[in-house]
Amino acid sequence: MISFLRGTVAHVGLSTAVIDLNGAGMSVFATPQTLSHLKVGTEAKLFTSMIVREDSLTLFGFADDDEREVFDVLLSVSGVGPRLALAVLAVHEPEAIRVAAHTGDGKAFTKVPGIGPKVAGRIVLELAGKLVPHGTGTTTAPENAIKAEWKPQVVAAMTSLGWSEKDATVSIDKAMADSPELVDAGNVAQILRATLRWLGQDGARAGNRVGSRG
């Protein structure tokens, strides 16, 4: 595993840079933001993540360890490869990605070229609990205020996965009737995951999902 590269910048392209390590040139894919800070002939340090395939070894470079961490977590989402994960980082700062994942904001991910509502919904679902904004506190708010914040976001995430707004709302209310602690916490990702789990256990998935076309 190559954790970082430190050397002289030999080349900067549209999507890659070449770092000269004592005469050996290492090609690294990076976001436009990271590449914009690299200057040919100057020394640079990039944190890296290596993707190993049967026919290739590819390095992806990042300005700091936080970017690399978010990149690696994005790769855990089914259907998200390194190029798409890098595209997410090209559009959003790491902290913005953490906030979107934590709050279930699927629309933030649809701003990335190549990500539609279904993929965005899957990203939010699979990142639940994996990315938490830095400095997240434990302050509480009145129940009505918490509900006003989380419910529209959970409904939006479910509609992006194929449910109608009406069915999503009913399902959320029924699922949360058994989970008051989740309502009090107001964590969008956890509520979404609990509602989808309730739908599967309840056997209502086939009847409620829009994709069934009943």
Side-chain angles (χ1 to χ4, degrees), residues 168-184:
T169 301
V170 171
S171 298
I172 293 167
D173 289 341
K174 290 183 177 179
M176 290 303 100
D178 299 326
S179 304
E181 71 283 356
L182 292 182
V183 174
D184 292 339

Side-chain angles (χ1 to χ4, degrees), residues 206-207 209-214:
R209 195 167 188 179
V210 174
S212 62
R213 297 291 192 270

Side-chain angles (χ1 to χ4, degrees), residues 16-151:
T16 63
V18 176
I19 307 299
D20 185 344
L21 305 177
N22 296 321
M26 301 290 287
S27 181
V28 184
F29 285 90
T31 65
Q33 297 95 311
T34 297
L35 292 170
S36 69
H37 294 293
L38 301 179
K39 306 299 180 185
V40 174
T42 63
E43 185 177 90
K45 178 181 179 180
L46 292 177
F47 292 85
T48 58
S49 180
M50 177 180 286
I51 306 300
V52 180
R53 299 279 172 81
E54 290 184 1
D55 58 348
S56 65
L57 296 174
T58 308
L59 278 176
F60 292 82
F62 309 94
D64 54 49
D65 196 42
D66 192 34
E67 280 192 352
R68 179 175 60 183
E69 179 184 353
V70 172
F71 175 84
D72 288 339
V73 174
L74 284 169
L75 291 180
S76 70
V77 178
S78 57
V80 175
R83 301 300 176 89
L84 193 56
L86 198 66
V88 174
L89 281 165
V91 174
H92 297 295
E93 294 290 332
E95 186 66 6
I97 297 171
R98 292 178 182 277
V99 171
H102 186 66
T103 60
D105 184 7
K107 290 184 178 179
F109 293 104
T110 61
K111 295 178 181 179
V112 180
I115 295 182
K118 289 185 178 181
V119 175
R122 186 165 65 244
I123 290 174
V124 168
L125 177 62
E126 295 189 26
L127 288 185
K130 293 182 179 180
L131 288 177
V132 179
H134 294 308
T136 299
T138 57
T139 56
T140 59
E143 181 178 346
N144 289 340
I146 293 175
K147 186 174 182 179
E149 292 177 0
W150 66 255
K151 193 165 187 179

